Amino acid sequence: MARELDESLLNQHKEKHFTAGEIVRDIIIGVSDGLTVPFALAAGLSGANASSAVILTAGVAEVAAGAISMGLGGYLAAKSEADHYMRELKREQDEIIAVPDTEAAEVAEILSEYGVEPHEYTPVVNALRKNPKAWLDFMMKFELGLEKPDPKRALQSAMTIAIAYIVGGLVPLFPYMFIPTAAKAVAASVVVTLMALLVFGYAKGHFTGNRPFMSALQTAFIGAIASAAAFGMAKLVQGG
């Protein structure tokens, strides 16, 4: 009866939590670098008085190389995370078999840190000892703080970061596709990219729980600094 009541209450109350954190993180990584790096490259080449055709060619090549590099980095990071989880899972599994009393004491210690009294957590510890799978899952989550990664996570992360990088990277290059004069194209690229950085920064702040307007200004400022540094360096080298 009590269980049915609990299920009824849970069905009546559906919590709305944001659960796409990993995907959003990958998009942020890809778009952030995609908007900034090609933008700085294009600005630097403009400072060196390169033509729009040369800047566009170099920019597209950089976007392609950057997408592959960033995607591969995302894949390796997610794969390493999955490998680490499996190693710790095997180690914890062996410890539950070899030293069950020690592991049970660790369960009791974890529960006591949440203010659970010995007479309250003892039945929980005993129940977990009778269910090795649940016991292992408890130790992974509460002792090690590890969640089981999605098997498809590595490939998904690689594709998300790569596509996000391409989308972001093409934004500062669009003006060079239609404006043959690099001096005019770079001005248009600055305007378009800064607007994109503001929009992206606002969205990033919204999804990550930060202040959207502050996030928008910070993101645009970082992009502006990167492009100004590249432009100034190119002028300095050319002048030298």
Side-chain angles (χ1 to χ4, degrees), residues 26-68:
D26 289 341
I27 292 174
I28 289 173
I29 291 171
V31 174
S32 180
D33 277 16
L35 281 170
T36 306
V37 177
F39 182 36
L41 173 66
L45 290 174
S46 297
N49 293 327
S51 66
S52 285
V54 170
I55 294 170
L56 182 59
T57 301
V60 170
E62 194 288 324
V63 168
I68 294 171

Side-chain angles (χ1 to χ4, degrees), residues 19-105:
T19 57
E22 291 181 337
I23 295 176
V24 170
R25 183 187 65 186
D26 289 341
I27 292 174
I28 289 173
I29 291 171
V31 174
S32 180
D33 277 16
L35 281 170
T36 306
V37 177
F39 182 36
L41 173 66
L45 290 174
S46 297
N49 293 327
S51 66
S52 285
V54 170
I55 294 170
L56 182 59
T57 301
V60 170
E62 194 288 324
V63 168
I68 294 171
S69 176
M70 293 287 291
L72 182 59
Y75 178 87
L76 293 175
K79 188 69 169 58
S80 297
E81 184 179 337
D83 291 343
H84 172 66
Y85 180 88
M86 294 308 297
R87 284 195 302 271
E88 292 301 323
L89 181 71
K90 180 66 168 62
R91 183 179 302 165
E92 198 64 38
Q93 197 170 31
D94 291 342
E95 289 177 354
I96 286 175
I97 295 171
V99 286
D101 291 339
T102 302
E103 292 299 296

Side-chain angles (χ1 to χ4, degrees), residues 2 8 35 58 86 90 146 156 188 190 205 207 216 218 233-235:
S8 176
L35 281 170
M86 294 308 297
K90 180 66 168 62
L146 296 176
Q156 183 186 64
V190 168
F207 283 112
Q218 288 176 344
M233 185 63 69
K235 284 294 186 183

